[in-house]
Amino acid sequence: MLAQSPPPLAQRTAQTDLPLDGPRADMLLPEVRLAIAVDPENRSISGEARYLVEARETLESLAFDLDPRFRISSIRIGQRTLENSEWANPDGLLGIALDTPLAEGASTHVFIAWEGAPHIALNPPWEGGFVWERTPSGEPWIATAVQGEGCDLFWPCIDHSSSRIGVIDTLVTVPDGLIAAGNGALIETRDHGDGTITFHWRARDPSNYGVSLQIGPYQMASRDYHSRFGNIIPIRFWHLPESKDGAHRLVAEMATYLDFFEARIGPYPFADEKAGVAETPHLGMEHQTINAYGNRFRRDPLGYDWLLQHEFAHEWFANQLTNATISHMWLHEGIGQWMQPLYLEWARGRMLHDAEMWRIRQRLHNRVPLVSRDGTLPDYNDQDSGWGTDIYYKGAWVMHSLRFLVGDDVLFPALTRLTYGTNNPQPGEIAPVLRTTDDFRAILEDMTGDDLAWFFDAYFYRAALPRLIAKREGRWLDLRWETPSDHDFAMPLELQTDGELRRIAMPDGSARVDLGDADTHFLIDPHNRILRYDEAIDETD
């Protein structure tokens, strides 16, 4: 029986992470072999995919997501080729009939062949799809960027954050003179003698949107990084010939990123494959082990390449730690964004950290919650809601305030546990984890012994920022938090008086402080550690 009542085509193909139901919810993909031939002149692709499908529960049928602009030429289950009447894909949900149910725990091989002209990205990477460009010397320069729209824009997949592939072999065939930089480790290249060459890559545990095609007349800059964990990590940067100097500079910079992330969070998760980058015609994207980079090697007065550092952060916060649903996307973007001021603090000092936090603070919208309680979210690109911005910048500022609340000795070990599922991750023993905001709360509560419902409700499930009401009467200062939350907002405050810095506890959301003298000058939150409403910022257009 085929899946019934799928979402309309415009919705299915335009948005990833739609509800995981029907056969898609009960299909595991331990192995995928994805072969794609790319025709730059006609802007088309043809593909053949072989899947090992394992049933989580008994399956009456199978289902994959695939943009229906492609023509499916063949589907095979085991050794049997299906008749056209045994499958249908009019709406982007490819339903495949089974002769007999696939029992729980059983597996079968599925083969799908398709071809066509993929959707062209309108504004990559924000509005994604295929990118067909030319290098400055006129050669084909091709990339995919499908985070918001999903892997189904160019191959049959289960388009949901929670669906990971055990091992994927990606075989990309391109015209001679081009190189396809891919996910994972390069297994072989095969020259067919007919003007085409195939690049065979193998990756473990990739996220669906992290599977990518990045193709051009590339050269490679490389070095090996000797990790503090005792292993060696290959750094590889595929770049256009005219970008040689910039690529070699950034390869050296990437070694500092590795040092920082491994010191702060833990071992690089994909050291057995590579830390890879490919120069692309669009700005960037966190494709697992082959990040897209299009920042044009511009130097920055902060002393680092913000784009490359941000995308590399996603190897930990997106590719290793993956949000269980798109509702928790701040775990990718907010924590990843926060890694930038943290890196500046580590590499260049506190002043640059504070300068970056101040820049970020001015970009918050606070119109909708960071996390939806019912899974209903505004569109990422909806400028009115600002959700697609707040998951970065508000998420980063929530982490900044959380650092003040619990301290480094709690927060960074908590991030390690959140990211790896263990307190002591070791190279060779790392597998990706799916996480929600509640998972983070549970870890922090376990480590602190405190109930943090008040913090998570106010910052993640409410749009408006907490407001601090301060009223002075002579030597007395009355402080009170106001939030839309039903919980008392128990955020403590730092108070500076005549050179003395005090931490003021506010367990019920209020406090009365003796300033000692009616003329005492005071300053609340002098280091700007708490995310709260600020009229000077939040009332400025």
Side-chain angles (χ1 to χ4, degrees):
M1 179 177 179
L2 300 182
Q4 298 179 354
S5 303
L9 169 60
Q11 184 183 10
R12 287 209 66 85
T13 57
Q15 183 178 340
T16 191
D17 260 28
L18 291 169
L20 191 61
D21 51 19
R24 293 162 64 250
D26 296 322
M27 290 168 52
L28 299 174
L29 301 179
E31 299 174 10
V32 174
R33 185 178 177 88
L34 178 62
I36 295 179
V38 179
D39 182 351
E41 295 306 314
N42 294 305
R43 295 190 171 190
S44 66
I45 64 173
S46 59
E48 297 179 349
R50 187 178 69 211
Y51 309 83
L52 178 62
V53 177
E54 182 179 321
R56 194 194 311 263
E57 302 286 345
T58 298
L59 292 168
E60 303 287 340
S61 62
L62 305 178
F64 295 86
D65 295 284
L66 180 64
D67 191 333
R69 59 173 39 86
F70 292 111
R71 185 182 73 84
I72 297 172
S73 57
S74 178
I75 298 180
R76 191 168 66 242
I77 305 291
Q79 298 300 313
R80 190 176 75 86
T81 299
L82 273 59
E83 301 292 335
N84 289 350
S85 60
E86 296 178 276
W87 56 268
N89 189 41
D91 46 33
L93 181 63
L94 172 58
I96 303 173
L98 291 174
D99 278 345
T100 58
L102 189 64
E104 176 184 348
S107 61
T108 189
H109 283 97
V110 179
F111 172 90
I112 303 172
W114 72 102
E115 61 184 4
H119 171 71
I120 296 175
L122 300 177
N123 183 27
W126 302 279
E127 296 179 81
F130 252 72
V131 182
W132 306 93
E133 291 290 346
R134 293 278 175 175
T135 69
S137 58
E139 297 172 276
W141 193 15
I142 303 160
T144 58
V146 297
Q147 180 179 21
E149 298 77 14
C151 46
D152 56 321
L153 283 193
F154 71 100
W155 63 284
C157 62
I158 300 175
D159 182 19
H160 196 274
S161 297
S162 65
S163 179
R164 302 290 289 240
I165 299 164
V167 175
I168 187 168
D169 283 88
T170 307
L171 293 82
V172 185
T173 300
V174 295
D176 283 348
L178 299 180
I179 290 175
N183 306 92
L186 183 63
I187 303 303
E188 66 170 339
T189 58
R190 189 180 313 140
D191 190 332
H192 300 286
D194 60 358
T196 65
I197 187 169
T198 296
F199 295 83
H200 179 182
W201 297 89
R202 179 173 297 154
R204 61 170 179 82
D205 302 311
S207 64
N208 284 327
Y209 81 86
V211 175
S212 69
L213 304 180
Q214 295 173 119
I215 299 164
Y218 289 132
Q219 296 177 359
M220 187 174 67
S222 66
R223 69 181 288 176
D224 290 338
Y225 173 78
H226 292 261
S227 167
R228 65 182 59 231
F229 292 93
N231 56 323
I232 297 176
I233 303 169
I235 302 174
R236 303 291 185 263
F237 199 131
W238 283 265
H239 60 87
L240 299 184
E242 50 266 52
S243 304
K244 180 179 179 179
D245 291 343
H248 280 271
R249 173 172 56 84
L250 290 188
V251 162
E253 195 169 297
M254 282 184 67
T256 70
Y257 302 163
L258 277 164
D259 195 16
F260 163 73
F261 282 110
E262 291 203 325
R264 269 303 193 194
I265 308 300
Y268 177 62
F270 310 103
D272 54 325
E273 297 176 350
K274 67 178 181 304
V277 184
E279 185 179 0
T280 54
H282 66 87
L283 183 60
M285 181 56 65
E286 62 269 20
H287 301 133
Q288 190 165 309
T289 73
I290 188 65
N291 288 310
Y293 173 83
N295 202 32
R296 293 183 281 177
F297 306 93
R298 291 174 286 200
R299 292 186 178 273
D300 191 294
L302 293 174
Y304 79 129
D305 192 296
W306 69 268
L307 187 280
L308 185 60
Q309 200 271 354
H310 179 81
E311 303 304 353
F312 195 51
H314 283 311
E315 296 286 22
W316 284 263
F317 306 108
N319 299 331
Q320 169 59 28
L321 177 164
T322 300
N323 51 226
T325 72
I326 201 169
S327 292
H328 303 278
M329 193 174 174
W330 83 270
L331 290 166
H332 293 192
E333 303 298 354
I335 300 178
Q337 185 70 44
W338 187 54
M339 290 296 114
Q340 296 195 244
L342 282 189
Y343 173 77
L344 290 171
E345 179 183 42
W346 178 86
R348 310 245 357 239
R350 187 73 189 187
M351 186 182 79
L352 270 67
H353 167 276
D354 293 347
E356 182 67 2
M357 289 305 304
W358 170 242
R359 184 189 70 84
I360 291 172
R361 177 61 182 88
Q362 297 173 74
R363 303 188 69 174
L364 275 59
H365 296 289
N366 309 305
R367 296 172 189 147
V368 297
L370 282 180
V371 182
S372 168
R373 292 190 184 277
D374 63 4
T376 303
L377 292 168
D379 186 84
Y380 178 91
N381 293 307
D382 179 6
Q383 298 300 311
D384 290 334
S385 74
W387 179 80
T389 299
D390 276 355
I391 56 174
Y392 292 79
Y393 302 121
K394 187 173 183 178
W397 255 90
V398 171
M399 292 300 298
H400 182 59
S401 297
L402 188 58
R403 184 184 189 185
F404 166 72
L405 177 66
V406 303
D408 288 9
D409 290 346
V410 169
L411 182 55
F412 289 105
L415 279 175
T416 297
R417 190 192 300 184
L418 180 74
T419 303
Y420 301 94
T422 177
N423 296 325
N424 186 33
Q426 295 297 318
E429 302 174 7
I430 298 170
V433 296
L434 293 173
R435 292 301 197 190
T436 67
T437 305
D438 285 341
D439 292 332
F440 194 22
R441 175 185 163 188
I443 289 170
L444 286 165
E445 290 182 339
D446 179 64
M447 297 181 72
T448 62
D450 297 329
D451 184 348
L452 296 176
W454 61 271
F455 182 96
F456 278 74
D457 187 60
Y459 280 130
F460 292 109
Y461 296 102
R462 310 285 177 168
L465 293 178
R467 291 179 180 240
L468 180 66
I469 310 301
K471 184 178 180 180
R472 178 175 186 164
E473 292 185 359
R475 63 184 289 180
W476 296 99
L477 177 64
D478 290 308
L479 301 168
R480 176 171 53 87
W481 285 110
E482 289 185 354
T483 78
S485 174
D486 296 330
H487 301 273
D488 291 331
F489 191 67
M491 178 66 80
L493 284 168
E494 284 187 330
L495 184 70
Q496 183 174 299
T497 55
D498 294 336
E500 178 187 2
L501 187 65
R502 290 185 276 173
R503 187 177 176 108
I504 309 301
M506 301 179 66
D508 65 351
S510 65
R512 178 165 243 221
V513 182
D514 185 355
L515 299 175
D517 189 274
D519 296 324
T520 299
H521 174 71
F522 69 90
L523 186 59
I524 297 170
D525 189 23
H527 301 296
N528 295 288
R529 293 175 173 172
I530 300 173
L531 178 57
R532 58 190 170 102
Y533 173 81
D534 185 331
E535 183 178 3
I537 302 173
D538 298 317
E539 298 299 326
T540 302
D541 292 334

